[in-house]
Amino acid sequence: MLEIKNLSVSYGMIEAVKNVNITINDNEICSLIGANGAGKTTIMHTISGLLSPTSGEILLDGENLLKMSSEEIVKRGIIQVPEGRRIFQKMSVNENILLGAYQRKNIEDEEYDYIYSLFPILKERSKQLAGTLSGGEQQMLAMARALVGKPKIMLLDEPSMGLAPLLVKNIFDIIKTINEKGTTIFLVEQNANMALAIASHAYVMETGKIALEGTGKELAESEKVQKLYLGG
Ligand SMILES: Nc1ncnc2c1ncn2[C@@H]1O[C@H](COP(=O)(O)OP(=O)(O)OP(=O)(O)O)[C@@H](O)[C@H]1O
Ligand SMILES: [Mg+2]
């Protein structure tokens, strides 16, 4: 279980995250939705150890992550797929995947089988330069690279960004499968519709604060969410 308690994060004078509480239970899909600039990515980066909070705690099964380097956090199984994918453009698809396993010597055949079962296109494209992949393929590559790190908790920052509707559905189906195989998912999304549909538990963030919390279904049915995020 990952617990974010009374978390506040600032950039200089700007307080981007204000006293936020979020609990991510083992084996669930927990979604965080909110408009541009709400503070979603800031929370993800703080979990990953890339930003330090001004106050609050982040506990993984009771252990404080805030004292750890981002490398130690990765070793504990918390792996982020960053917004905008951040793949290495000039390296091949396979080289990018290998980078996700940098803490080990090699990737087992079964792991390749698992990744290619989720993302068959990456097998076809394994020798192609990553920068020449389509946006959707780059998202798949970023997820594949995270998966070879054997995440206990996968942090996904706007995986559907810039993708055509059909591909969005495909990516969300894959996220569900990854979760069913035993990986906890923390999903940050602007696509509230899809993010709430697959979430067991979700949060709505507004200007740095948690405005609403509930099951995915409760939030999808909430009048406020429908009006502000679902165009209802
Ligand atoms: N490096 C930075 N320096 C100063 N302010 C920042 C920095 N990064 C983010 N912010 C500000 O913090 C706030 C939260 O940003 P954040 O990236 O967490 O939002 P977000 O919810 O992920 O938005 P989006 O949906 O657009 O990705 C915004 O007002 C943003 O301008
Ligand atoms: Mg963001």
Side-chain angles (χ1 to χ4, degrees), residues 9-211:
V9 189
S10 295
Y11 299 100
M13 299 293 285
I14 303 163
E15 197 175 37
V17 170
K18 299 163 193 162
N19 207 29
V20 160
N21 290 284
I22 291 176
T23 299
I24 303 162
N25 296 303
D26 287 345
N27 298 315
E28 77 166 341
I29 298 180
C30 176
S31 291
L32 174 64
I33 62 169
N36 286 120
K40 306 180 300 296
T41 297
T42 302
I43 289 181
M44 281 228 163
H45 284 165
T46 311
I47 297 172
S48 297
L50 303 172
L51 286 173
S52 297
T54 43
S55 60
E57 287 184 310
I58 302 182
L59 304 174
L60 176 67
D61 300 326
E63 193 182 17
N64 190 356
L65 293 184
L66 294 179
K67 295 205 169 77
M68 297 180 198
S69 66
S70 49
E71 200 166 21
E72 283 173 303
I73 292 169
V74 167
K75 273 193 193 140
R76 297 249 178 339
I78 300 181
I79 302 186
Q80 185 179 176
V81 180
E83 192 174 4
R85 290 115 206 193
R86 310 259 178 81
I87 54 155
F88 294 90
Q89 311 262 335
K90 297 268 163 65
M91 294 170 82
S92 73
V93 167
N94 192 49
E95 285 164 342
N96 268 276
I97 291 174
L98 279 165
L99 280 176
Y102 72 99
Q103 290 175 335
R104 298 177 285 142
K105 279 208 187 69
N106 58 341
I107 297 176
E108 311 282 330
D109 286 349
E110 305 86 76
E111 293 178 76
Y112 272 120
D113 289 347
Y114 176 45
I115 288 164
Y116 291 150
S117 73
L118 294 170
F119 311 109
I121 191 77
L122 296 182
K123 188 171 189 178
E124 285 172 40
R125 301 267 190 273
S126 68
K127 296 200 170 66
Q128 190 170 319
L129 288 186
T132 65
L133 295 176
S134 73
E137 291 162 355
Q138 292 191 16
Q139 179 59 40
M140 292 177 183
L141 177 56
M143 289 168 69
R145 185 180 57 190
L147 281 174
V148 296
K150 303 196 178 194
K152 205 156 87 175
I153 305 178
M154 200 171 182
L155 311 177
L156 290 162
D157 197 346
E158 304 213 24
S160 78
M161 190 167 39
L163 306 186
L166 209 60
L167 199 54
V168 170
K169 175 152 190 332
N170 188 358
I171 290 282
F172 276 87
D173 285 342
I174 293 167
I175 293 168
K176 257 203 276 188
T177 305
I178 292 169
N179 174 248
E180 281 158 11
K181 298 267 183 198
T183 303
T184 303
I185 305 280
F186 183 50
L187 173 67
V188 159
E189 262 296 337
Q190 286 203 43
N191 188 329
N193 202 3
M194 297 296 261
L196 294 178
I198 67 167
S200 44
H201 187 205
Y203 296 83
V204 178
M205 204 172 174
E206 283 170 7
T207 54
K209 293 183 184 151
I210 299 297

